[in-house]
Amino acid sequence: MARTLSYISGTQLLSLKRRPNIAIVDVRDDERSYDGHIAGSLHFSSETFLDKIPNLVQQVQGKDTLVFHCALSQVRGPKCARRLAEHLAETTQDAGIKNIMVLERGFNGWESAGRPVCRCTDNPCKAEIV
């Protein structure tokens, strides 16, 4: 099944985040460790993303919507989202993922809008968006 990428605003993500079928995938590299992250997100560094796609698919079982982001969601976030879509198109495995989205303005836009940021070191983050 071909999947197209769409974009989601921070406001839309906040309203959807409480649904149990959504996973947020942070593909920033080292900056996650010192800038913080969106509560509840998974971390899959863009540097090693291609090799870790099977791990991601396994970790998001039961989720039908994945929202990717990097710092600005201009390069790494969209690129990793496309790579996942390509992987899913090439495999016969039904991962149950129906929607692949990219967070507009990325983590920097999320944080500058005053949205909640977690600074824990857990991956996946166990905190909830308030």
Side-chain angles (χ1 to χ4, degrees):
M1 170 167 92
R3 289 165 185 83
T4 58
L5 299 184
S6 58
Y7 283 78
I8 185 171
S9 71
T11 302
Q12 291 169 316
L13 179 57
L14 269 176
S15 69
L16 295 177
K17 179 57 186 111
R18 296 185 193 281
R19 292 180 22 206
N21 62 331
I22 294 177
I24 301 171
V25 183
D26 183 342
V27 297
R28 292 175 298 152
D29 300 315
D30 294 337
E31 66 264 42
R32 177 181 167 105
S33 63
Y34 51 82
D35 283 348
H37 54 273
I38 297 173
S41 64
L42 302 168
H43 183 230
F44 283 85
S45 173
S46 66
E47 292 176 342
T48 59
F49 184 78
L50 204 52
D51 296 332
K52 304 250 171 135
I53 288 177
N55 296 26
L56 172 62
V57 170
Q58 184 177 18
Q59 269 196 303
V60 299
Q61 284 184 350
K63 310 289 186 188
D64 67 8
T65 301
L66 301 187
V67 178
F68 283 78
H69 77 84
C70 56
L72 300 172
S73 288
Q74 292 179 350
V75 178
R76 294 175 292 177
K79 182 178 181 178
C80 290
R82 278 191 304 276
R83 285 183 169 171
L84 175 64
E86 290 165 1
H87 171 82
L88 293 173
E90 293 169 1
T91 184
T92 57
Q93 173 189 10
D94 179 17
I97 300 167
K98 294 177 178 61
N99 305 302
I100 300 174
M101 307 174 110
V102 177
L103 177 62
E104 292 173 351
R105 300 181 59 225
F107 177 80
N108 293 0
W110 176 272
E111 184 177 40
S112 69
R115 295 189 180 98
V117 172
C118 183
R119 303 207 184 276
C120 76
T121 57
D122 297 335
N123 184 34
C125 173
K126 295 168 187 65
E128 296 286 328
I129 290 181
V130 186

Short mmCIF file of all heavy atoms in Angstrom, two decimals, residues 61-121:
data_model
loop_
_atom_site.label_atom_id
_atom_site.label_comp_id
_atom_site.label_asym_id
_atom_site.label_seq_id
_atom_site.Cartn_x
_atom_site.Cartn_y
_atom_site.Cartn_z
N GLN A 61 4.29 -1.34 17.05
CA GLN A 61 3.17 -2.25 16.81
C GLN A 61 1.94 -1.74 17.55
O GLN A 61 2.02 -1.32 18.69
CB GLN A 61 3.52 -3.66 17.28
CG GLN A 61 4.45 -4.37 16.34
CD GLN A 61 4.70 -5.80 16.76
OE1 GLN A 61 4.35 -6.24 17.84
NE2 GLN A 61 5.34 -6.55 15.88
N GLY A 62 0.81 -1.76 16.85
CA GLY A 62 -0.43 -1.26 17.43
C GLY A 62 -0.67 0.21 17.16
O GLY A 62 -1.73 0.74 17.47
N LYS A 63 0.30 0.89 16.58
CA LYS A 63 0.16 2.30 16.23
C LYS A 63 -0.14 2.38 14.74
O LYS A 63 0.47 1.68 13.94
CB LYS A 63 1.44 3.10 16.51
CG LYS A 63 2.03 2.90 17.88
CD LYS A 63 1.20 3.54 18.95
CE LYS A 63 1.92 3.44 20.30
NZ LYS A 63 1.10 3.88 21.39
N ASP A 64 -1.08 3.23 14.36
CA ASP A 64 -1.36 3.37 12.93
C ASP A 64 -0.91 4.71 12.37
O ASP A 64 -0.94 4.93 11.17
CB ASP A 64 -2.84 3.11 12.62
CG ASP A 64 -3.78 4.16 13.19
OD1 ASP A 64 -3.31 5.19 13.72
OD2 ASP A 64 -5.00 3.95 13.10
N THR A 65 -0.47 5.62 13.24
CA THR A 65 -0.01 6.93 12.81
C THR A 65 1.34 7.22 13.44
O THR A 65 1.48 7.15 14.66
CB THR A 65 -1.02 8.02 13.22
OG1 THR A 65 -2.29 7.72 12.62
CG2 THR A 65 -0.56 9.40 12.78
N LEU A 66 2.32 7.55 12.59
CA LEU A 66 3.64 7.95 13.08
C LEU A 66 3.89 9.39 12.68
O LEU A 66 3.66 9.76 11.52
CB LEU A 66 4.74 7.06 12.49
CG LEU A 66 4.65 5.56 12.75
CD1 LEU A 66 5.90 4.87 12.23
CD2 LEU A 66 4.45 5.26 14.20
N VAL A 67 4.37 10.19 13.62
CA VAL A 67 4.69 11.59 13.36
C VAL A 67 6.19 11.76 13.56
O VAL A 67 6.71 11.57 14.66
CB VAL A 67 3.91 12.53 14.31
CG1 VAL A 67 4.30 13.98 14.04
CG2 VAL A 67 2.41 12.33 14.16
N PHE A 68 6.88 12.10 12.48
CA PHE A 68 8.33 12.28 12.49
C PHE A 68 8.67 13.75 12.69
O PHE A 68 7.95 14.63 12.24
CB PHE A 68 8.93 11.84 11.15
CG PHE A 68 9.03 10.35 11.00
CD1 PHE A 68 7.92 9.59 10.69
CD2 PHE A 68 10.25 9.71 11.18
CE1 PHE A 68 8.00 8.22 10.55
CE2 PHE A 68 10.34 8.33 11.05
CZ PHE A 68 9.22 7.59 10.73
N HIS A 69 9.82 13.97 13.34
CA HIS A 69 10.34 15.33 13.40
C HIS A 69 11.84 15.31 13.65
O HIS A 69 12.40 14.34 14.17
CB HIS A 69 9.64 16.17 14.48
CG HIS A 69 10.10 15.85 15.88
ND1 HIS A 69 11.22 16.41 16.43
CD2 HIS A 69 9.59 15.02 16.82
CE1 HIS A 69 11.38 15.95 17.66
NE2 HIS A 69 10.40 15.10 17.91
N CYS A 70 12.48 16.39 13.24
CA CYS A 70 13.87 16.66 13.60
C CYS A 70 13.86 18.06 14.22
O CYS A 70 12.85 18.46 14.80
CB CYS A 70 14.79 16.53 12.38
SG CYS A 70 14.34 17.60 10.99
N ALA A 71 14.92 18.80 14.09
CA ALA A 71 14.95 20.14 14.69
C ALA A 71 13.94 21.07 14.01
O ALA A 71 13.16 21.74 14.68
CB ALA A 71 16.35 20.72 14.63
N LEU A 72 13.97 21.12 12.68
CA LEU A 72 13.09 22.02 11.93
C LEU A 72 12.10 21.29 11.03
O LEU A 72 11.24 21.92 10.41
CB LEU A 72 13.93 22.98 11.07
CG LEU A 72 14.91 23.87 11.83
CD1 LEU A 72 15.81 24.62 10.87
CD2 LEU A 72 14.16 24.85 12.73
N SER A 73 12.24 19.99 10.92
CA SER A 73 11.43 19.14 10.03
C SER A 73 11.51 19.59 8.57
O SER A 73 10.53 19.58 7.84
CB SER A 73 9.97 19.09 10.49
OG SER A 73 9.87 18.32 11.66
N GLN A 74 12.73 19.97 8.17
CA GLN A 74 12.94 20.36 6.78
C GLN A 74 13.74 19.31 6.02
O GLN A 74 13.54 19.16 4.82
CB GLN A 74 13.66 21.71 6.72
CG GLN A 74 12.80 22.84 7.22
CD GLN A 74 13.51 24.17 7.16
OE1 GLN A 74 14.71 24.26 6.92
NE2 GLN A 74 12.75 25.22 7.41
N VAL A 75 14.65 18.59 6.69
CA VAL A 75 15.49 17.62 5.98
C VAL A 75 15.39 16.23 6.62
O VAL A 75 14.84 15.31 6.04
CB VAL A 75 16.96 18.09 5.93
CG1 VAL A 75 17.83 17.05 5.22
CG2 VAL A 75 17.07 19.43 5.21
N ARG A 76 15.92 16.09 7.82
CA ARG A 76 16.00 14.76 8.43
C ARG A 76 14.65 14.12 8.70
O ARG A 76 14.44 12.94 8.42
CB ARG A 76 16.82 14.81 9.73
CG ARG A 76 18.28 15.16 9.51
CD ARG A 76 19.02 15.32 10.81
NE ARG A 76 18.53 16.51 11.52
CZ ARG A 76 18.94 16.89 12.73
NH1 ARG A 76 19.82 16.18 13.38
NH2 ARG A 76 18.47 17.99 13.29
N GLY A 77 13.72 14.88 9.27
CA GLY A 77 12.39 14.34 9.57
C GLY A 77 11.69 13.82 8.32
O GLY A 77 11.28 12.66 8.26
N PRO A 78 11.53 14.68 7.29
CA PRO A 78 10.87 14.21 6.06
C PRO A 78 11.62 13.07 5.38
O PRO A 78 11.00 12.13 4.86
CB PRO A 78 10.83 15.45 5.17
CG PRO A 78 10.90 16.60 6.11
CD PRO A 78 11.75 16.13 7.26
N LYS A 79 12.96 13.12 5.41
CA LYS A 79 13.75 12.07 4.75
C LYS A 79 13.54 10.72 5.43
O LYS A 79 13.32 9.70 4.76
CB LYS A 79 15.24 12.45 4.78
CG LYS A 79 16.14 11.46 4.10
CD LYS A 79 17.58 11.95 4.15
CE LYS A 79 18.52 10.99 3.46
NZ LYS A 79 19.90 11.50 3.47
N CYS A 80 13.56 10.69 6.76
CA CYS A 80 13.35 9.44 7.48
C CYS A 80 11.91 8.95 7.31
O CYS A 80 11.68 7.74 7.16
CB CYS A 80 13.69 9.61 8.96
SG CYS A 80 15.47 9.82 9.25
N ALA A 81 10.95 9.86 7.27
CA ALA A 81 9.56 9.47 7.04
C ALA A 81 9.41 8.82 5.67
O ALA A 81 8.75 7.79 5.52
CB ALA A 81 8.65 10.70 7.17
N ARG A 82 10.07 9.41 4.65
CA ARG A 82 10.03 8.82 3.30
C ARG A 82 10.69 7.45 3.28
O ARG A 82 10.21 6.52 2.62
CB ARG A 82 10.71 9.75 2.28
CG ARG A 82 9.81 10.85 1.78
CD ARG A 82 10.43 11.58 0.60
NE ARG A 82 11.74 12.13 0.86
CZ ARG A 82 11.97 13.31 1.43
NH1 ARG A 82 10.97 14.07 1.81
NH2 ARG A 82 13.19 13.75 1.62
N ARG A 83 11.80 7.32 4.00
CA ARG A 83 12.50 6.02 4.04
C ARG A 83 11.62 4.95 4.66
O ARG A 83 11.60 3.81 4.20
CB ARG A 83 13.82 6.15 4.80
CG ARG A 83 14.88 6.84 3.98
CD ARG A 83 16.18 6.89 4.72
NE ARG A 83 17.24 7.32 3.83
CZ ARG A 83 18.46 7.63 4.21
NH1 ARG A 83 18.78 7.55 5.50
NH2 ARG A 83 19.36 8.00 3.36
N LEU A 84 10.89 5.30 5.71
CA LEU A 84 9.98 4.32 6.30
C LEU A 84 8.88 3.96 5.31
O LEU A 84 8.56 2.79 5.14
CB LEU A 84 9.36 4.85 7.59
CG LEU A 84 8.31 3.90 8.19
CD1 LEU A 84 8.93 2.58 8.62
CD2 LEU A 84 7.59 4.56 9.35
N ALA A 85 8.31 4.95 4.64
CA ALA A 85 7.25 4.69 3.66
C ALA A 85 7.76 3.77 2.55
O ALA A 85 7.07 2.83 2.14
CB ALA A 85 6.73 6.00 3.07
N GLU A 86 8.98 4.01 2.09
CA GLU A 86 9.58 3.16 1.05
C GLU A 86 9.78 1.74 1.57
O GLU A 86 9.50 0.76 0.87
CB GLU A 86 10.91 3.75 0.57
CG GLU A 86 10.74 5.03 -0.22
CD GLU A 86 12.04 5.80 -0.39
OE1 GLU A 86 13.12 5.35 0.09
OE2 GLU A 86 11.99 6.90 -1.00
N HIS A 87 10.27 1.62 2.80
CA HIS A 87 10.47 0.30 3.41
C HIS A 87 9.15 -0.46 3.49
O HIS A 87 9.09 -1.64 3.15
CB HIS A 87 11.09 0.45 4.80
CG HIS A 87 11.13 -0.82 5.58
ND1 HIS A 87 12.11 -1.76 5.40
CD2 HIS A 87 10.28 -1.33 6.52
CE1 HIS A 87 11.88 -2.79 6.21
NE2 HIS A 87 10.78 -2.55 6.89
N LEU A 88 8.11 0.21 3.94
CA LEU A 88 6.82 -0.44 4.09
C LEU A 88 6.24 -0.83 2.73
O LEU A 88 5.57 -1.87 2.62
CB LEU A 88 5.84 0.46 4.84
CG LEU A 88 6.19 0.73 6.30
CD1 LEU A 88 5.25 1.76 6.89
CD2 LEU A 88 6.20 -0.55 7.12
N ALA A 89 6.52 -0.04 1.69
CA ALA A 89 6.03 -0.36 0.35
C ALA A 89 6.75 -1.58 -0.23
O ALA A 89 6.18 -2.34 -1.01
CB ALA A 89 6.22 0.84 -0.58
N GLU A 90 8.01 -1.78 0.17
CA GLU A 90 8.82 -2.88 -0.36
C GLU A 90 8.63 -4.19 0.39
O GLU A 90 8.98 -5.24 -0.11
CB GLU A 90 10.31 -2.50 -0.31
CG GLU A 90 10.66 -1.36 -1.25
CD GLU A 90 12.06 -0.81 -1.00
OE1 GLU A 90 12.77 -1.34 -0.11
OE2 GLU A 90 12.44 0.14 -1.70
N THR A 91 8.09 -4.14 1.58
CA THR A 91 7.96 -5.34 2.39
C THR A 91 6.54 -5.90 2.30
O THR A 91 5.59 -5.16 2.06
CB THR A 91 8.33 -5.07 3.87
OG1 THR A 91 8.28 -6.29 4.58
CG2 THR A 91 7.39 -4.08 4.52
N THR A 92 6.41 -7.17 2.49
CA THR A 92 5.09 -7.79 2.48
C THR A 92 4.47 -7.79 3.87
O THR A 92 3.31 -8.11 4.03
CB THR A 92 5.17 -9.24 1.96
OG1 THR A 92 6.08 -9.96 2.79
CG2 THR A 92 5.62 -9.27 0.53
N GLN A 93 5.27 -7.43 4.85
CA GLN A 93 4.80 -7.41 6.23
C GLN A 93 3.79 -6.27 6.41
O GLN A 93 4.03 -5.14 6.00
CB GLN A 93 6.00 -7.19 7.17
CG GLN A 93 5.63 -6.97 8.61
CD GLN A 93 6.83 -6.54 9.43
OE1 GLN A 93 7.88 -6.22 8.91
NE2 GLN A 93 6.67 -6.52 10.73
N ASP A 94 2.65 -6.56 7.02
CA ASP A 94 1.67 -5.53 7.31
C ASP A 94 1.97 -4.99 8.70
O ASP A 94 1.70 -5.63 9.70
CB ASP A 94 0.26 -6.09 7.25
CG ASP A 94 -0.78 -5.02 7.59
OD1 ASP A 94 -0.44 -3.82 7.55
OD2 ASP A 94 -1.91 -5.39 7.89
N ALA A 95 2.54 -3.80 8.73
CA ALA A 95 2.91 -3.21 10.01
C ALA A 95 1.74 -2.47 10.66
O ALA A 95 1.84 -2.05 11.80
CB ALA A 95 4.09 -2.25 9.80
N GLY A 96 0.64 -2.31 9.94
CA GLY A 96 -0.51 -1.60 10.49
C GLY A 96 -0.38 -0.09 10.45
O GLY A 96 -1.26 0.62 10.94
N ILE A 97 0.71 0.43 9.90
CA ILE A 97 0.93 1.88 9.84
C ILE A 97 0.19 2.43 8.62
O ILE A 97 0.48 2.06 7.49
CB ILE A 97 2.43 2.20 9.76
CG1 ILE A 97 3.15 1.65 10.99
CG2 ILE A 97 2.65 3.71 9.60
CD1 ILE A 97 4.66 1.63 10.88
N LYS A 98 -0.76 3.30 8.87
CA LYS A 98 -1.57 3.86 7.80
C LYS A 98 -1.18 5.30 7.47
O LYS A 98 -1.31 5.74 6.34
CB LYS A 98 -3.04 3.81 8.18
CG LYS A 98 -3.59 2.41 8.30
CD LYS A 98 -5.05 2.44 8.75
CE LYS A 98 -5.67 1.08 8.85
NZ LYS A 98 -5.09 0.17 9.79
N ASN A 99 -0.74 6.05 8.47
CA ASN A 99 -0.43 7.47 8.29
C ASN A 99 1.01 7.76 8.72
O ASN A 99 1.40 7.42 9.84
CB ASN A 99 -1.37 8.33 9.14
CG ASN A 99 -2.81 8.05 8.84
OD1 ASN A 99 -3.24 8.18 7.70
ND2 ASN A 99 -3.56 7.65 9.85
N ILE A 100 1.75 8.39 7.83
CA ILE A 100 3.10 8.84 8.15
C ILE A 100 3.10 10.35 7.97
O ILE A 100 2.81 10.86 6.89
CB ILE A 100 4.15 8.17 7.24
CG1 ILE A 100 4.10 6.65 7.42
CG2 ILE A 100 5.54 8.71 7.54
CD1 ILE A 100 4.99 5.88 6.48
N MET A 101 3.38 11.05 9.06
CA MET A 101 3.29 12.50 9.07
C MET A 101 4.61 13.12 9.51
O MET A 101 5.45 12.45 10.12
CB MET A 101 2.17 12.95 10.00
CG MET A 101 0.84 12.28 9.69
SD MET A 101 -0.40 12.69 10.90
CE MET A 101 -1.42 13.71 9.87
N VAL A 102 4.74 14.40 9.21
CA VAL A 102 5.90 15.18 9.63
C VAL A 102 5.39 16.39 10.42
O VAL A 102 4.45 17.07 9.99
CB VAL A 102 6.74 15.64 8.42
CG1 VAL A 102 7.91 16.50 8.86
CG2 VAL A 102 7.23 14.43 7.62
N LEU A 103 5.99 16.64 11.56
CA LEU A 103 5.61 17.76 12.41
C LEU A 103 6.13 19.07 11.81
O LEU A 103 7.34 19.25 11.64
CB LEU A 103 6.18 17.58 13.82
CG LEU A 103 5.93 18.72 14.81
CD1 LEU A 103 4.43 18.92 15.06
CD2 LEU A 103 6.67 18.45 16.11
N GLU A 104 5.21 19.97 11.46
CA GLU A 104 5.60 21.27 10.92
C GLU A 104 6.49 22.01 11.92
O GLU A 104 6.23 21.98 13.12
CB GLU A 104 4.36 22.13 10.65
CG GLU A 104 3.49 21.63 9.54
CD GLU A 104 2.19 22.41 9.41
OE1 GLU A 104 1.86 23.24 10.29
OE2 GLU A 104 1.49 22.17 8.42
N ARG A 105 7.54 22.62 11.43
CA ARG A 105 8.48 23.43 12.23
C ARG A 105 9.31 22.62 13.22
O ARG A 105 10.11 23.16 13.96
CB ARG A 105 7.75 24.57 12.93
CG ARG A 105 7.06 25.53 11.95
CD ARG A 105 6.35 26.68 12.63
NE ARG A 105 7.29 27.46 13.41
CZ ARG A 105 7.03 27.89 14.65
NH1 ARG A 105 5.89 27.62 15.24
NH2 ARG A 105 7.93 28.61 15.31
N GLY A 106 9.11 21.31 13.26
CA GLY A 106 9.96 20.42 14.06
C GLY A 106 9.96 20.71 15.55
O GLY A 106 9.10 21.40 16.09
N PHE A 107 10.98 20.17 16.20
CA PHE A 107 11.11 20.35 17.65
C PHE A 107 11.31 21.81 18.01
O PHE A 107 10.74 22.29 18.99
CB PHE A 107 12.28 19.52 18.20
CG PHE A 107 12.48 19.73 19.67
CD1 PHE A 107 11.67 19.07 20.58
CD2 PHE A 107 13.45 20.59 20.15
CE1 PHE A 107 11.82 19.27 21.95
CE2 PHE A 107 13.62 20.79 21.51
CZ PHE A 107 12.80 20.13 22.41
N ASN A 108 12.09 22.53 17.22
CA ASN A 108 12.34 23.95 17.54
C ASN A 108 11.04 24.75 17.55
O ASN A 108 10.82 25.58 18.43
CB ASN A 108 13.34 24.55 16.56
CG ASN A 108 14.72 23.96 16.72
OD1 ASN A 108 14.97 23.10 17.55
ND2 ASN A 108 15.65 24.40 15.87
N GLY A 109 10.17 24.50 16.57
CA GLY A 109 8.88 25.18 16.52
C GLY A 109 7.98 24.76 17.68
O GLY A 109 7.26 25.58 18.25
N TRP A 110 8.03 23.48 18.01
CA TRP A 110 7.26 22.94 19.14
C TRP A 110 7.65 23.66 20.42
O TRP A 110 6.81 24.16 21.16
CB TRP A 110 7.52 21.45 19.24
CG TRP A 110 6.89 20.74 20.40
CD1 TRP A 110 7.41 20.59 21.65
CD2 TRP A 110 5.60 20.10 20.41
NE1 TRP A 110 6.54 19.87 22.44
CE2 TRP A 110 5.43 19.57 21.71
CE3 TRP A 110 4.61 19.90 19.47
CZ2 TRP A 110 4.29 18.86 22.08
CZ3 TRP A 110 3.48 19.20 19.83
CH2 TRP A 110 3.33 18.68 21.11
N GLU A 111 8.96 23.71 20.68
CA GLU A 111 9.45 24.32 21.91
C GLU A 111 9.21 25.83 21.93
O GLU A 111 8.78 26.38 22.96
CB GLU A 111 10.94 24.00 22.09
CG GLU A 111 11.50 24.53 23.40
CD GLU A 111 12.94 24.16 23.60
OE1 GLU A 111 13.72 24.19 22.63
OE2 GLU A 111 13.29 23.85 24.75
N SER A 112 9.47 26.50 20.81
CA SER A 112 9.31 27.97 20.80
C SER A 112 7.85 28.38 20.95
O SER A 112 7.56 29.50 21.37
CB SER A 112 9.91 28.58 19.53
OG SER A 112 9.15 28.22 18.40
N ALA A 113 6.91 27.49 20.66
CA ALA A 113 5.49 27.78 20.86
C ALA A 113 5.07 27.53 22.31
O ALA A 113 3.90 27.68 22.66
CB ALA A 113 4.64 26.93 19.92
N GLY A 114 6.02 27.14 23.15
CA GLY A 114 5.73 26.93 24.56
C GLY A 114 5.08 25.60 24.88
O GLY A 114 4.52 25.42 25.95
N ARG A 115 5.19 24.67 23.94
CA ARG A 115 4.59 23.35 24.18
C ARG A 115 5.50 22.54 25.10
O ARG A 115 6.69 22.81 25.21
CB ARG A 115 4.37 22.65 22.85
CG ARG A 115 3.33 23.40 22.02
CD ARG A 115 2.90 22.65 20.80
NE ARG A 115 1.92 23.44 20.08
CZ ARG A 115 2.21 24.20 19.03
NH1 ARG A 115 3.43 24.26 18.55
NH2 ARG A 115 1.26 24.89 18.44
N PRO A 116 4.95 21.51 25.76
CA PRO A 116 5.71 20.77 26.77
C PRO A 116 6.91 20.02 26.20
O PRO A 116 6.83 19.38 25.16
CB PRO A 116 4.69 19.78 27.34
CG PRO A 116 3.57 19.74 26.37
CD PRO A 116 3.58 21.01 25.60
N VAL A 117 8.02 20.15 26.92
CA VAL A 117 9.28 19.49 26.57
C VAL A 117 9.73 18.66 27.76
O VAL A 117 9.66 19.10 28.90
CB VAL A 117 10.36 20.54 26.20
CG1 VAL A 117 11.72 19.90 26.02
CG2 VAL A 117 9.95 21.32 24.96
N CYS A 118 10.17 17.45 27.48
CA CYS A 118 10.67 16.55 28.52
C CYS A 118 12.19 16.50 28.43
O CYS A 118 12.75 16.56 27.34
CB CYS A 118 10.07 15.15 28.33
SG CYS A 118 10.56 13.99 29.62
N ARG A 119 12.86 16.39 29.54
CA ARG A 119 14.32 16.33 29.55
C ARG A 119 14.85 15.03 30.15
O ARG A 119 16.00 14.93 30.53
CB ARG A 119 14.88 17.53 30.29
CG ARG A 119 14.39 18.83 29.67
CD ARG A 119 15.31 19.99 29.88
NE ARG A 119 14.76 21.21 29.35
CZ ARG A 119 14.83 21.61 28.08
NH1 ARG A 119 15.45 20.87 27.21
NH2 ARG A 119 14.30 22.74 27.68
N CYS A 120 13.99 13.99 30.19
CA CYS A 120 14.44 12.70 30.71
C CYS A 120 15.42 12.06 29.72
O CYS A 120 15.58 12.53 28.60
CB CYS A 120 13.25 11.77 30.96
SG CYS A 120 12.54 11.03 29.47
N THR A 121 16.05 10.99 30.13
CA THR A 121 16.99 10.29 29.25
C THR A 121 16.44 8.94 28.80
O THR A 121 17.16 8.14 28.22
CB THR A 121 18.34 10.07 29.98
OG1 THR A 121 18.09 9.35 31.19
CG2 THR A 121 19.02 11.40 30.29
#
